[in-house]
Amino acid sequence: MIFETLEETAKFYKHYSKLASFSTKIRNTTRDGDKIKNQLIVCTREGRWKSKISPTLKTNPSAGLNCPARIYVHMKDVGLWTISKVVLNHSHPCCPEQAEMLKQHMDLSMFVRRTIETHEEAGIRPSKTYQSFVAAAGSHRELGFIEKDVRNYITREVRNFSEEDDAKEFGKYLLRMIEKNQNFFFELNLEGDHCIKHAFWADARSRAAFEYFRDVVSFDTTYNTNRYNLVLGSFVGVNYHG
């Protein structure tokens, strides 16, 4: 088989591996200066190895089983890529109905991503969001992803604000809280347009409780965040119930 680019070749083999229920990795790449001349793509169970994760933490650890499945791709003189060697046999069973659960083949569609973003903005928990996808699909097996993928997408994309956006979003959050309850209190001090200098907030319930129970107040500023080097001081009120 001949392809116009190496990316098309890899994409084709990845699609085939999904149908055959295995995942792939690049074993070797040969270059001539900056140009790639040939590449070996193999099954991820190639070689002989075993996961170092303790069986008590992972009941089904990954292992290399000397799987021979592979393709060898090289560039022809005319600038096209050809598959010159193919091994289809595997040293391990492949289960097509579970192909979607292989990490390489898990994928979030545009619809799923937009839904996750909408739910996150509405304050819906990731677990509830995932269960809504399961209910719509009919079962977990019908989805091409797991709950961890939903959480990872939220952490990586939805909440991945820049330092400038972070301060703005924090200010918007405090304003939303005071809209919900006028007894919510905050003061926000910015340096320039987007750098937080000082921030203080107290929710309505804590303020009301403090009116009744003023027994103990502790003030602690020993915590320092790694990312922004901001001191976080927490006021902790303790009532007579301890």
Side-chain angles (χ1 to χ4, degrees):
M1 298 182 67
I2 296 176
F3 300 86
E4 292 185 357
T5 65
L6 181 60
E7 289 74 21
E8 287 184 10
T9 312
K11 185 177 180 181
F12 167 80
Y13 193 52
K14 181 181 177 181
H15 177 68
Y16 165 76
S17 69
K18 183 176 181 179
L19 296 177
S21 188
F22 69 97
S23 51
T24 64
K25 65 181 179 181
I26 298 173
R27 161 52 66 193
N28 187 48
T29 300
T30 303
R31 299 176 181 271
D32 183 7
D34 294 334
K35 293 184 178 181
I36 297 177
K37 302 297 292 184
N38 53 63
Q39 194 168 84
L40 177 63
I41 307 176
V42 301
C43 173
T44 52
R45 308 299 289 273
E46 180 259 359
R48 177 65 69 174
W49 53 271
K50 191 170 183 178
S51 173
K52 295 181 180 180
I53 299 176
S54 169
T56 58
L57 299 176
K58 190 173 183 180
T59 56
N60 188 24
S62 301
L65 301 172
N66 282 334
C67 183
R70 64 190 59 206
I71 62 170
Y72 183 77
V73 191
H74 75 271
M75 178 184 282
K76 301 184 71 173
D77 295 335
V78 292
L80 299 176
W81 293 85
T82 181
I83 299 179
S84 58
K85 182 179 180 180
V86 179
V87 179
L88 299 178
N89 297 329
H90 292 267
S91 64
H92 54 90
C94 296
C95 190
E97 59 269 20
Q98 295 182 6
E100 297 283 356
M101 305 313 293
L102 292 172
K103 185 177 181 180
Q104 185 180 41
H105 303 309
M106 290 182 179
D107 185 41
L108 301 180
S109 67
M110 186 63 68
F111 168 75
V112 169
R113 294 179 186 185
R114 295 292 84 82
T115 303
I116 292 173
E117 292 168 8
T118 302
H119 284 198
E120 177 67 13
E121 188 175 341
I124 299 173
R125 295 198 303 266
S127 59
K128 295 293 184 182
T129 298
Y130 178 70
Q131 288 303 321
S132 70
F133 290 128
V134 173
S139 72
H140 296 270
R141 292 182 179 277
E142 299 300 321
L143 294 176
F145 56 91
I146 57 178
E147 184 176 332
K148 185 177 181 180
D149 296 312
V150 174
R151 296 181 180 276
N152 288 343
Y153 179 75
I154 291 173
T155 303
R156 185 178 65 252
E157 302 293 340
V158 181
R159 297 178 182 171
N160 187 25
F161 300 113
S162 67
E163 292 188 17
E164 295 184 15
D165 292 334
D166 226 5
K168 294 178 182 177
E169 289 299 320
F170 180 56
K172 290 179 182 178
Y173 170 77
L174 295 176
L175 289 173
R176 288 198 301 269
M177 293 301 292
I178 206 168
E179 286 176 1
K180 292 180 180 179
N181 193 320
Q182 293 298 314
N183 288 325
F184 182 88
F185 175 83
F186 77 91
E187 282 192 4
L188 186 60
N189 210 341
L190 300 179
E191 283 184 334
D193 294 330
H194 53 258
C195 184
I196 299 175
K197 185 178 182 181
H198 297 109
F200 174 83
W201 67 95
D203 63 85
R205 184 172 182 176
S206 295
R207 294 181 68 192
F210 186 66
E211 291 296 324
Y212 292 98
F213 315 111
R214 300 173 183 245
D215 300 55
V216 179
V217 175
S218 69
F219 179 57
D220 191 348
T221 57
T222 60
Y223 303 99
N224 214 32
T225 63
N226 295 326
R227 186 172 181 183
Y228 298 117
N229 293 319
L230 291 176
V231 174
L232 171 65
S234 60
F235 291 89
V236 181
V238 182
N239 63 24
Y240 58 78
H241 295 299

